[in-house]
Amino acid sequence: MAAPWLAARGELYQEQQKALLLSPFYSRVISGSSGSGKTSILVHRAAYLVRNWHVPVSRFMILTFTNALKETIQAGLQELGISQDSVFTFDKWCKTFHEKNIGRAPRRGRFSHPGATREAVYQYLRHEGQDRGLYDFILVDEGQDLEPVCYDILEKITRHVSVFMGQEQQIYSSRATRKDVLRALGLSSADIELSTGYRCNFCVAELAAEFLPADYKKGFLEAHSRPGQMDREKPLLFVARDFEQEMYNLLQILRARQSLGERIAVLFAERWQAEMFPKLCMDLGLYAEGPRVWPPGRKTKGIAHDFSSPRPKAMTYHSARGMTFDVVLMPRLTTRHFRGFLKKNMDVLLYTGVSRAARWVYMSTVYADLIKPVRTLYNGICHGLGGFGLEIRHGRFSRQKSMFEYMQDNSQETAAPKEHDPILKNEIKGYADLF
């Protein structure tokens, strides 16, 4: 299956079916929390509009903010037999439009300047007076990631836009709010508020809610409180004594969960970590995919993302938005890796990471360097203030259970490395300065 995360159309719930079948005579805004099925609805809506309204490939677009989400949606369209050629990141489409109609896109030093490109495209469309007939329809996923000017552009090139967004996942303060989107599209309110979460088991949802603002928390938990839910495996926080122990146990978990046939994401704060992790795995006989082939020019390379494959995906929290995995592993939750912008937005990033998981979440850090949100959870559990849907395991005590023993305690029959494998630990130690 090219897109195992994509639910069959017949499996969609009533409110999801309603969002899918909304009339295209007006622009639409569909909002919902993580796990409400927005990306699945978007892919099925694209197929519905293309087939029922006989729209050729050149007359519609699906826009995202990240390349990873673009590739995920392309895999979903392939599953439904729809062309993947109309899926772009917004900035890629802007750059292509600018070079075709205006000239060379603005640059900042050696690199392109997306902000200046967007503004130039908007000014061109405003002065040229486009008749909104360039496309029959445009669908936007993770719409909270785009700036307000992006919706001013879309309003000028198509008569119909369907925007799928979740405001609680917004990281950048300069991005569009729901009010901005409604204003640009000439709407007074969102068409559908997806009120039920279908992705996360309740223990995962309970942990994710700890990173939400108070006004979102109650609604998020209510959305994921489904009667008869049987999958209740508690997320795990592993507090290691040092880097080597943290990564050793991470690789044990990765191998164990992969042997169960689960789809796995390994999330990092910084892109270079996601690029490096597949190389570490390859040196140890495991296979994971990263955001690009690493390192270029070598005969033995890492594996770039292929969202139709079952291999674990290493990526950043930012690029994981809009995706679904069975298991999410979140290592290196240390202050060393959350600085500046990442430090200011730790809660949103952790919420995004946890809420990608359908079944289980594994978090790990080093005791001497916990980031503030994780330390708050750790102290709360240790002082009996609540469980927060989380179990803690310590690695700084000599008689600590291994991760393989933990898996056995949870009735998971898996194959894992031996608890004290000197070759494995020496290989990991060589990466200590890099991670």
Side-chain angles (χ1 to χ4, degrees), residues 235-253 330-334 360-367 370 374 378 390-397 400-403 406 419:
L236 173 67
L237 170 62
F238 179 67
V239 183
R241 61 177 174 265
D242 53 32
F243 166 80
E244 287 85 358
Q245 188 187 46
E246 182 190 359
M247 297 305 289
Y248 181 79
N249 284 300
L250 171 68
L251 293 167
Q252 280 189 312
I253 289 288
M330 298 165 58
R332 308 305 289 143
L333 298 176
T334 60
W360 190 60
V361 174
Y362 171 79
M363 306 165 74
S364 68
T365 184
V366 175
Y367 180 74
L370 281 78
V374 174
Y378 176 83
L390 183 66
E391 182 173 350
I392 292 179
R393 294 274 168 168
H394 297 274
R396 58 197 181 98
F397 303 123
Q400 171 60 33
K401 286 185 178 181
S402 71
M403 288 299 101
Y406 171 80
E419 169 63 5

Side-chain angles (χ1 to χ4, degrees), residues 9 17-25 41-55 77 80 82 137 139 160 162:
R9 178 170 170 178
Q17 291 279 5
K18 183 179 177 182
L20 187 160
L21 298 172
L22 287 170
S23 167
F25 292 113
I41 298 169
L42 178 144
V43 171
H44 282 293
R45 181 164 173 78
Y48 165 74
L49 293 175
V50 166
R51 289 168 177 157
N52 284 49
W53 297 85
H54 309 290
V55 180
L77 292 175
L80 299 181
I82 302 296
F137 72 86
L139 307 183
H160 176 81
S162 287

